[in-house]
Coordinates of all heavy atoms in Angstrom, one line a residue:
M61 N 42.4 20.1 -39.0 CA 43.1 19.9 -37.8 C 42.9 18.6 -37.2 O 41.9 17.9 -37.4 CB 42.6 21.0 -36.8 CG 43.1 22.4 -37.0 SD 42.6 23.4 -35.7 CE 44.0 23.3 -34.6
T62 N 43.9 18.1 -36.4 CA 43.8 16.8 -35.8 C 44.1 17.0 -34.3 O 44.8 18.0 -33.9 CB 44.7 15.8 -36.4 OG1 46.1 16.3 -36.2 CG2 44.4 15.6 -37.8
D63 N 43.6 16.1 -33.5 CA 43.9 16.1 -32.0 C 45.2 15.4 -31.8 O 45.8 15.0 -32.7 CB 42.7 15.5 -31.2 CG 42.4 14.1 -31.6 OD1 43.3 13.4 -32.2 OD2 41.4 13.6 -31.2
K64 N 45.5 15.2 -30.5 CA 46.8 14.6 -30.2 C 46.9 13.2 -30.7 O 48.0 12.7 -30.9 CB 47.1 14.7 -28.7 CG 47.3 16.1 -28.2 CD 47.5 16.1 -26.7 CE 47.7 17.5 -26.2 NZ 47.8 17.6 -24.8
Q65 N 45.8 12.5 -30.8 CA 45.8 11.1 -31.3 C 45.8 11.1 -32.8 O 45.7 10.0 -33.4 CB 44.7 10.3 -30.7 CG 44.8 10.0 -29.2 CD 44.5 11.2 -28.3 OE1 43.7 12.1 -28.7 NE2 45.2 11.4 -27.2
G66 N 45.7 12.2 -33.5 CA 45.6 12.2 -35.0 C 44.2 12.1 -35.5 O 44.0 12.1 -36.7
G67 N 43.2 12.1 -34.7 CA 41.8 12.1 -35.1 C 41.3 13.5 -35.5 O 42.0 14.5 -35.1
P68 N 40.3 13.7 -36.3 CA 39.8 15.0 -36.6 C 39.2 15.7 -35.5 O 38.7 15.1 -34.5 CB 38.7 14.7 -37.7 CG 38.3 13.3 -37.4 CD 39.5 12.6 -36.8
V69 N 39.4 17.0 -35.4 CA 38.8 17.9 -34.4 C 37.6 18.6 -35.0 O 37.6 19.1 -36.1 CB 39.8 18.9 -33.9 CG1 39.2 19.9 -32.9 CG2 41.1 18.2 -33.3
A70 N 36.5 18.5 -34.3 CA 35.3 19.1 -34.8 C 35.4 20.6 -34.7 O 36.1 21.2 -33.9 CB 34.0 18.7 -34.0
H71 N 34.6 21.4 -35.5 CA 34.6 22.8 -35.5 C 34.0 23.2 -34.2 O 33.0 22.7 -33.6 CB 33.8 23.4 -36.6 CG 34.3 23.1 -38.0 ND1 35.5 23.8 -38.4 CD2 34.0 22.3 -38.9 CE1 35.8 23.3 -39.6 NE2 34.9 22.4 -40.0
R72 N 34.6 24.2 -33.6 CA 34.1 24.7 -32.3 C 33.1 25.8 -32.4 O 33.3 26.7 -33.3 CB 35.3 25.2 -31.4 CG 36.4 24.1 -31.2 CD 37.6 24.8 -30.6 NE 38.7 24.0 -30.8 CZ 39.2 23.1 -30.0 NH1 38.6 22.9 -28.9 NH2 40.3 22.4 -30.3
Q73 N 32.1 25.8 -31.6 CA 31.1 26.9 -31.7 C 31.2 27.7 -30.4 O 30.6 28.7 -30.3 CB 29.7 26.3 -31.7 CG 29.4 25.6 -33.1 CD 29.5 26.6 -34.2 OE1 29.1 27.7 -34.1 NE2 30.0 26.1 -35.4
E74 N 32.1 27.4 -29.5 CA 32.3 28.2 -28.3 C 33.3 29.3 -28.5 O 34.3 29.1 -29.2 CB 32.7 27.3 -27.1 CG 31.9 26.1 -26.8 CD 32.6 24.9 -27.4 OE1 33.8 24.8 -27.5 OE2 31.8 24.0 -27.8
I75 N 33.0 30.4 -27.9 CA 34.0 31.5 -28.0 C 34.8 31.4 -26.7 O 34.3 31.3 -25.6 CB 33.3 32.9 -28.0 CG1 32.5 33.0 -29.4 CG2 34.2 34.0 -27.9 CD1 31.6 34.1 -29.5
P76 N 36.2 31.5 -26.9 CA 37.0 31.3 -25.7 C 36.7 32.4 -24.6 O 36.4 33.5 -25.0 CB 38.4 31.6 -26.3 CG 38.3 31.3 -27.7 CD 36.9 31.6 -28.1
V77 N 36.7 31.9 -23.4 CA 36.3 32.8 -22.3 C 37.2 34.0 -22.2 O 38.5 33.8 -22.3 CB 36.3 32.0 -21.0 CG1 36.0 32.9 -19.8 CG2 35.3 30.9 -21.0
G78 N 36.7 35.1 -22.0 CA 37.5 36.4 -21.8 C 37.9 37.0 -23.1 O 38.5 38.1 -23.1
R79 N 37.6 36.4 -24.3 CA 38.0 37.1 -25.5 C 37.0 38.1 -26.0 O 35.8 37.8 -25.9 CB 38.2 36.0 -26.6 CG 39.2 35.0 -26.3 CD 40.6 35.5 -26.6 NE 40.9 36.0 -27.9 CZ 41.3 35.2 -28.9 NH1 41.5 33.9 -28.7 NH2 41.5 35.7 -30.1
R80 N 37.4 39.2 -26.4 CA 36.4 40.3 -26.9 C 36.5 40.3 -28.4 O 35.6 40.9 -29.0 CB 36.8 41.6 -26.2 CG 36.5 41.5 -24.8 CD 36.6 42.8 -24.0 NE 37.3 43.9 -24.8 CZ 37.8 45.0 -24.2 NH1 37.8 45.1 -22.9 NH2 38.3 46.0 -24.9
A81 N 37.5 39.8 -29.0 CA 37.6 39.8 -30.5 C 38.4 38.5 -30.9 O 39.2 38.0 -30.2 CB 38.3 41.0 -31.0
L82 N 38.1 38.1 -32.1 CA 38.7 36.9 -32.7 C 39.4 37.2 -34.0 O 39.0 38.1 -34.7 CB 37.7 35.8 -32.9 CG 36.9 35.4 -31.7 CD1 35.8 34.4 -32.1 CD2 37.8 34.7 -30.6
S83 N 40.4 36.4 -34.4 CA 41.0 36.6 -35.7 C 40.1 36.1 -36.7 O 39.2 35.3 -36.5 CB 42.4 35.9 -35.7 OG 42.2 34.5 -35.7
V84 N 40.4 36.5 -38.0 CA 39.7 35.9 -39.1 C 39.8 34.4 -39.2 O 38.8 33.7 -39.4 CB 40.1 36.6 -40.4 CG1 39.6 35.9 -41.6 CG2 39.8 38.1 -40.4
A85 N 40.9 33.9 -38.9 CA 41.2 32.5 -39.0 C 40.3 31.8 -37.9 O 39.7 30.7 -38.2 CB 42.7 32.1 -38.8
E86 N 40.2 32.3 -36.7 CA 39.4 31.7 -35.7 C 37.9 31.7 -36.0 O 37.2 30.7 -35.8 CB 39.6 32.5 -34.3 CG 41.0 32.3 -33.7 CD 41.2 33.2 -32.5 OE1 40.9 34.4 -32.6 OE2 41.8 32.6 -31.5
V87 N 37.5 32.8 -36.6 CA 36.1 32.9 -37.0 C 35.8 31.9 -38.1 O 34.8 31.2 -38.1 CB 35.7 34.3 -37.5 CG1 34.3 34.4 -38.2 CG2 35.8 35.3 -36.4
A88 N 36.7 31.8 -39.1 CA 36.5 30.8 -40.2 C 36.5 29.4 -39.6 O 35.6 28.6 -40.0 CB 37.7 31.0 -41.2
Y89 N 37.4 29.1 -38.7 CA 37.4 27.7 -38.1 C 36.1 27.5 -37.4 O 35.5 26.4 -37.5 CB 38.6 27.6 -37.2 CG 38.7 26.2 -36.6 CD1 39.0 25.1 -37.4 CD2 38.4 26.0 -35.2 CE1 39.1 23.9 -36.8 CE2 38.4 24.8 -34.7 CZ 38.8 23.7 -35.5 OH 38.9 22.5 -34.9
M90 N 35.6 28.5 -36.6 CA 34.4 28.2 -35.8 C 33.2 27.9 -36.7 O 32.3 27.1 -36.3 CB 34.1 29.5 -35.0 CG 34.9 29.7 -33.7 SD 34.5 31.2 -32.9 CE 32.7 31.0 -32.6
Y91 N 33.1 28.5 -37.8 CA 31.9 28.4 -38.7 C 32.2 27.4 -39.8 O 31.3 27.3 -40.6 CB 31.5 29.8 -39.2 CG 30.9 30.6 -38.1 CD1 31.6 31.6 -37.5 CD2 29.6 30.4 -37.6 CE1 31.1 32.4 -36.4 CE2 29.1 31.1 -36.6 CZ 29.8 32.1 -36.0 OH 29.3 32.9 -35.0
G92 N 33.4 26.9 -39.9 CA 33.6 25.9 -41.0 C 33.7 26.6 -42.3 O 33.3 26.0 -43.3
L93 N 34.2 27.8 -42.3 CA 34.3 28.6 -43.6 C 35.7 28.8 -44.0 O 36.7 28.6 -43.2 CB 33.7 30.0 -43.3 CG 32.2 30.1 -42.9 CD1 31.9 31.5 -42.6 CD2 31.4 29.5 -44.1
N94 N 35.9 29.2 -45.2 CA 37.3 29.5 -45.7 C 37.6 31.0 -45.2 O 36.6 31.8 -45.1 CB 37.3 29.5 -47.2 CG 38.6 29.6 -47.8 OD1 39.3 30.7 -47.7 ND2 39.1 28.6 -48.4
R95 N 38.8 31.2 -44.9 CA 39.1 32.6 -44.5 C 38.7 33.7 -45.5 O 38.2 34.8 -45.2 CB 40.6 32.8 -44.2 CG 41.0 32.1 -42.9 CD 42.4 32.3 -42.6 NE 43.2 31.7 -43.6 CZ 44.5 31.8 -43.7 NH1 45.2 32.5 -42.9 NH2 45.2 31.2 -44.7
A96 N 38.8 33.3 -46.8 CA 38.4 34.2 -47.9 C 36.9 34.6 -47.7 O 36.5 35.8 -48.0 CB 38.7 33.7 -49.2
T97 N 36.1 33.6 -47.3 CA 34.7 33.9 -47.2 C 34.5 34.9 -46.0 O 33.6 35.8 -46.2 CB 33.9 32.6 -46.9 OG1 34.1 31.7 -47.9 CG2 32.4 32.8 -46.7
V98 N 35.2 34.8 -45.0 CA 35.1 35.7 -43.9 C 35.5 37.1 -44.3 O 34.8 38.1 -44.0 CB 35.9 35.2 -42.6 CG1 35.8 36.3 -41.5 CG2 35.4 33.9 -42.1
Y99 N 36.6 37.2 -45.0 CA 37.0 38.5 -45.5 C 36.0 39.1 -46.5 O 35.7 40.3 -46.5 CB 38.3 38.3 -46.3 CG 39.6 38.3 -45.4 CD1 40.3 37.2 -45.3 CD2 39.9 39.4 -44.6 CE1 41.5 37.1 -44.5 CE2 41.0 39.3 -43.7 CZ 41.8 38.2 -43.7 OH 42.9 38.1 -42.9
R100 N 35.3 38.3 -47.3 CA 34.2 38.8 -48.2 C 33.1 39.3 -47.4 O 32.5 40.4 -47.7 CB 33.8 37.6 -49.1 CG 34.3 37.7 -50.5 CD 33.5 36.8 -51.4 NE 33.2 35.4 -51.0 CZ 34.0 34.4 -51.0 NH1 35.2 34.5 -51.5 NH2 33.7 33.2 -50.6
E101 N 32.7 38.6 -46.3 CA 31.6 39.1 -45.5 C 32.0 40.4 -44.8 O 31.1 41.3 -44.7 CB 31.3 38.1 -44.4 CG 30.7 36.8 -45.0 CD 29.4 36.9 -45.8 OE1 28.5 37.5 -45.2 OE2 29.4 36.5 -47.0
I102 N 33.2 40.5 -44.4 CA 33.7 41.8 -43.8 C 33.6 42.9 -44.9 O 33.1 44.0 -44.7 CB 35.1 41.6 -43.2 CG1 35.1 40.7 -42.0 CG2 35.7 43.0 -42.9 CD1 36.4 40.3 -41.6
G103 N 34.2 42.6 -46.0 CA 34.2 43.6 -47.2 C 32.8 44.0 -47.6 O 32.6 45.2 -48.0
A104 N 31.8 43.1 -47.5 CA 30.4 43.4 -47.9 C 29.7 44.2 -46.8 O 28.5 44.6 -47.0 CB 29.7 42.1 -48.2
G105 N 30.3 44.3 -45.6 CA 29.7 45.0 -44.5 C 28.7 44.2 -43.7 O 27.9 44.6 -42.9
K106 N 28.7 42.8 -44.0 CA 27.9 41.9 -43.3 C 28.4 41.5 -41.9 O 27.7 41.0 -41.1 CB 27.6 40.7 -44.1 CG 26.8 41.0 -45.4 CD 26.6 39.8 -46.2 CE 25.9 40.0 -47.5 NZ 25.7 38.8 -48.3
L107 N 29.7 41.6 -41.8 CA 30.4 41.3 -40.5 C 31.4 42.4 -40.1 O 32.2 42.8 -40.9 CB 31.2 40.0 -40.8 CG 31.9 39.4 -39.6 CD1 31.0 39.0 -38.4 CD2 32.7 38.1 -40.0
T108 N 31.2 42.9 -39.0 CA 32.0 44.0 -38.5 C 33.4 43.6 -38.0 O 33.5 42.5 -37.4 CB 31.3 44.7 -37.3 OG1 30.0 45.1 -37.7 CG2 32.1 45.9 -36.8
A109 N 34.4 44.3 -38.4 CA 35.8 44.0 -38.0 C 36.5 45.3 -37.9 O 36.1 46.3 -38.3 CB 36.4 43.1 -39.1
F110 N 37.7 45.2 -37.3 CA 38.6 46.3 -37.1 C 40.0 45.9 -37.4 O 40.4 44.7 -37.2 CB 38.4 47.0 -35.8 CG 38.8 46.1 -34.6 CD1 40.0 46.1 -34.1 CD2 37.8 45.4 -34.0 CE1 40.4 45.3 -32.9 CE2 38.1 44.6 -32.9 CZ 39.4 44.6 -32.4
A111 N 40.8 46.8 -37.7 CA 42.3 46.5 -38.0 C 43.1 47.2 -36.9 O 42.7 48.3 -36.5 CB 42.7 47.0 -39.4
F112 N 44.2 46.6 -36.5 CA 45.1 47.3 -35.6 C 46.5 46.8 -35.9 O 46.7 45.9 -36.7 CB 44.6 47.0 -34.2 CG 44.9 45.6 -33.6 CD1 46.0 45.3 -32.9 CD2 44.0 44.6 -33.9 CE1 46.2 44.0 -32.5 CE2 44.2 43.3 -33.5 CZ 45.3 43.0 -32.8
G113 N 47.4 47.3 -35.1 CA 48.8 47.0 -35.3 C 49.5 48.2 -36.0 O 48.8 49.2 -36.4
P114 N 50.8 48.1 -36.1 CA 51.6 49.2 -36.6 C 51.1 49.6 -38.0 O 51.2 50.8 -38.4 CB 53.0 48.8 -36.6 CG 53.0 47.4 -36.2 CD 51.6 47.0 -35.7
K115 N 50.8 48.7 -38.8 CA 50.3 48.9 -40.2 C 48.9 48.6 -40.4 O 48.4 48.5 -41.6 CB 51.2 48.2 -41.2 CG 52.7 48.6 -41.1 CD 53.5 47.9 -42.2 CE 54.9 48.4 -42.1 NZ 55.8 47.7 -43.0
G116 N 48.2 48.3 -39.4 CA 46.8 47.9 -39.5 C 46.5 46.6 -40.2 O 45.5 46.3 -40.7
G117 N 47.5 45.7 -40.1 CA 47.5 44.4 -40.8 C 46.7 43.3 -40.0 O 46.4 42.3 -40.6
A118 N 46.5 43.5 -38.8 CA 45.8 42.5 -38.0 C 44.3 42.8 -37.9 O 43.9 43.8 -37.4 CB 46.4 42.4 -36.5
I119 N 43.5 41.9 -38.5 CA 42.1 42.1 -38.5 C 41.5 41.3 -37.4 O 41.8 40.1 -37.3 CB 41.5 41.7 -39.9 CG1 42.2 42.3 -41.1 CG2 40.0 41.9 -40.0 CD1 42.0 43.8 -41.1
R120 N 40.5 41.9 -36.7 CA 39.9 41.2 -35.6 C 38.3 41.4 -35.7 O 37.9 42.5 -36.1 CB 40.3 41.7 -34.2 CG 41.8 41.4 -33.9 CD 42.0 39.9 -33.8 NE 43.4 39.5 -33.5 CZ 44.3 39.1 -34.4 NH1 43.9 39.1 -35.6 NH2 45.5 38.8 -34.0
V121 N 37.6 40.4 -35.3 CA 36.1 40.5 -35.4 C 35.7 40.5 -33.9 O 35.9 39.6 -33.2 CB 35.6 39.3 -36.1 CG1 34.0 39.3 -36.1 CG2 36.1 39.2 -37.5
P122 N 35.0 41.6 -33.5 CA 34.4 41.6 -32.1 C 33.4 40.5 -31.9 O 32.6 40.1 -32.8 CB 33.8 43.0 -32.1 CG 34.3 43.8 -33.2 CD 34.7 42.8 -34.3
V123 N 33.5 39.9 -30.7 CA 32.5 38.8 -30.4 C 31.1 39.3 -30.5 O 30.3 38.5 -31.0 CB 32.8 38.3 -28.9 CG1 31.8 37.4 -28.4 CG2 34.2 37.7 -28.9
M124 N 30.8 40.5 -30.2 CA 29.4 41.0 -30.3 C 29.0 41.1 -31.8 O 27.8 40.8 -32.1 CB 29.3 42.4 -29.7 CG 29.4 42.4 -28.2 SD 28.2 41.3 -27.4 CE 26.7 42.1 -27.8
A125 N 29.9 41.3 -32.7 CA 29.6 41.3 -34.1 C 29.2 39.9 -34.6 O 28.4 39.8 -35.5 CB 30.8 41.8 -35.0
L126 N 29.8 38.9 -34.0 CA 29.4 37.5 -34.4 C 27.9 37.2 -34.0 O 27.2 36.6 -34.8 CB 30.3 36.5 -33.7 CG 31.7 36.4 -34.2 CD1 32.5 35.5 -33.3 CD2 31.9 36.1 -35.6
A127 N 27.5 37.7 -32.9 CA 26.1 37.5 -32.5 C 25.2 38.3 -33.5 O 24.1 37.7 -33.9 CB 25.9 38.1 -31.1
E128 N 25.5 39.5 -33.9 CA 24.7 40.2 -34.9 C 24.7 39.5 -36.2 O 23.7 39.4 -36.9 CB 25.3 41.6 -35.0 CG 25.1 42.5 -33.7 CD 26.0 43.8 -33.8 OE1 26.5 44.0 -34.8 OE2 26.0 44.4 -32.7
F129 N 25.9 39.0 -36.6 CA 26.0 38.3 -37.9 C 25.2 37.0 -37.9 O 24.4 36.8 -38.9 CB 27.5 37.9 -38.1 CG 27.8 37.2 -39.4 CD1 27.7 37.8 -40.6 CD2 28.2 35.8 -39.4 CE1 28.0 37.1 -41.8 CE2 28.4 35.2 -40.5 CZ 28.4 35.8 -41.7
E130 N 25.1 36.3 -36.8 CA 24.3 35.1 -36.7 C 22.8 35.5 -36.8 O 22.0 34.8 -37.4 CB 24.6 34.3 -35.4 CG 25.9 33.6 -35.5 CD 26.2 32.9 -34.2 OE1 25.3 32.8 -33.3 OE2 27.3 32.3 -34.0
A131 N 22.4 36.5 -36.0 CA 21.0 37.0 -36.0 C 20.6 37.4 -37.4 O 19.5 37.0 -37.8 CB 20.9 38.1 -35.0
A132 N 21.4 38.1 -38.1 CA 21.1 38.5 -39.5 C 21.0 37.3 -40.4 O 20.1 37.2 -41.2 CB 22.2 39.5 -40.0
A133 N 21.8 36.3 -40.2 CA 21.8 35.1 -41.1 C 20.5 34.3 -40.8 O 19.8 33.8 -41.7 CB 23.0 34.2 -40.8
I134 N 20.1 34.2 -39.5 CA 18.8 33.5 -39.2 C 17.7 34.3 -39.7 O 16.7 33.7 -40.2 CB 18.8 33.4 -37.6 CG1 19.8 32.4 -37.2 CG2 17.4 33.0 -37.2 CD1 20.0 32.3 -35.6
N135 N 17.7 35.6 -39.6 CA 16.6 36.4 -40.2 C 16.4 36.2 -41.7 O 15.3 36.1 -42.2 CB 16.8 37.9 -39.8 CG 15.6 38.7 -40.2 OD1 14.5 38.3 -40.0 ND2 15.9 39.9 -40.7
V136 N 17.5 36.1 -42.4 CA 17.5 36.0 -43.8 C 16.8 34.6 -44.2 O 16.0 34.5 -45.0 CB 18.9 36.1 -44.5 CG1 18.9 35.5 -45.9 CG2 19.4 37.5 -44.4
Q137 N 17.2 33.6 -43.4 CA 16.7 32.2 -43.7 C 15.2 32.2 -43.3 O 14.4 31.5 -44.0 CB 17.4 31.2 -42.8 CG 18.8 31.0 -43.3 CD 19.6 30.0 -42.4 OE1 19.0 29.5 -41.4 NE2 20.8 29.8 -42.6
T138 N 14.7 32.8 -42.3 CA 13.3 32.8 -41.9 C 12.5 33.7 -42.7 O 11.2 33.5 -42.7 CB 13.1 33.1 -40.4 OG1 13.6 34.4 -40.1 CG2 13.9 32.0 -39.5
T139 N 13.0 34.7 -43.4 CA 12.1 35.6 -44.1 C 12.2 35.4 -45.6 O 11.6 36.2 -46.3 CB 12.5 37.1 -43.8 OG1 13.9 37.3 -44.2 CG2 12.3 37.4 -42.3
S140 N 12.8 34.3 -46.0 CA 12.8 34.1 -47.5 C 11.5 33.7 -48.0 O 10.7 33.1 -47.2 CB 13.8 33.0 -47.9 OG 13.5 31.8 -47.2
P141 N 11.1 34.1 -49.2 CA 9.7 33.8 -49.7 C 9.5 32.3 -49.8 O 10.4 31.5 -50.0 CB 9.7 34.4 -51.1 CG 11.1 34.6 -51.4 CD 11.9 34.7 -50.2
D142 N 8.2 31.9 -49.7 CA 7.8 30.5 -49.8 C 8.0 30.1 -51.2 O 7.7 30.8 -52.1 CB 6.4 30.3 -49.4 CG 6.2 30.4 -47.9 OD1 7.1 30.2 -47.2 OD2 5.0 30.7 -47.5
R143 N 8.4 28.8 -51.4 CA 8.5 28.3 -52.8 C 7.3 27.4 -53.0 O 7.1 26.5 -52.2 CB 9.8 27.5 -53.0 CG 11.0 28.4 -52.9 CD 12.2 27.7 -53.1 NE 13.4 28.6 -52.9 CZ 14.5 28.6 -53.6 NH1 14.6 27.7 -54.5 NH2 15.4 29.4 -53.3
R144 N 6.6 27.6 -54.0 CA 5.4 26.8 -54.3 C 5.6 26.0 -55.5 O 6.2 26.1 -56.4 CB 4.2 27.7 -54.5 CG 4.0 28.5 -53.2 CD 2.8 29.5 -53.5 NE 2.8 30.4 -52.4 CZ 1.7 30.8 -51.8 NH1 0.6 30.4 -52.2 NH2 1.8 31.7 -50.8

């Protein structure tokens, strides 16, 4: 993505005010991930999401699920065995 002047836009870490759920594309952009990676995390049960719409085609990730996902990722990093 680029800004109005054509310069690169940094990944955003803030969640838009008033939003209770984000699209897969928004989550991917926030964390600098590919959308396929976000879908994999959802499929693996590591990231909670829900589908809605007439055919259930719109996938959304609750904001609270992002906090849980981050906490789990931090826990995995801090509890990995020491390498000697």
Side-chain angles (χ1 to χ4, degrees):
M61 283 187 93
T62 60
D63 62 14
K64 292 180 182 178
Q65 289 77 32
V69 176
H71 294 289
R72 301 173 202 264
Q73 291 297 324
E74 309 97 31
I75 295 171
V77 175
R79 298 285 301 274
R80 295 187 346 200
L82 302 175
S83 69
V84 169
E86 289 172 316
V87 172
Y89 181 72
M90 281 179 59
Y91 291 99
L93 301 171
N94 189 295
R95 285 183 298 171
T97 302
V98 176
Y99 282 116
R100 258 194 316 275
E101 296 298 307
I102 292 168
K106 295 179 181 178
L107 182 60
T108 302
F110 62 91
F112 73 97
K115 296 182 181 179
I119 306 294
R120 295 293 181 263
V121 178
V123 171
M124 292 303 296
L126 292 175
E128 295 167 5
F129 180 70
E130 286 179 9
I134 290 168
N135 188 38
V136 167
Q137 290 176 2
T138 60
T139 59
S140 60
D142 289 335
R143 295 181 184 218
R144 298 176 193 221

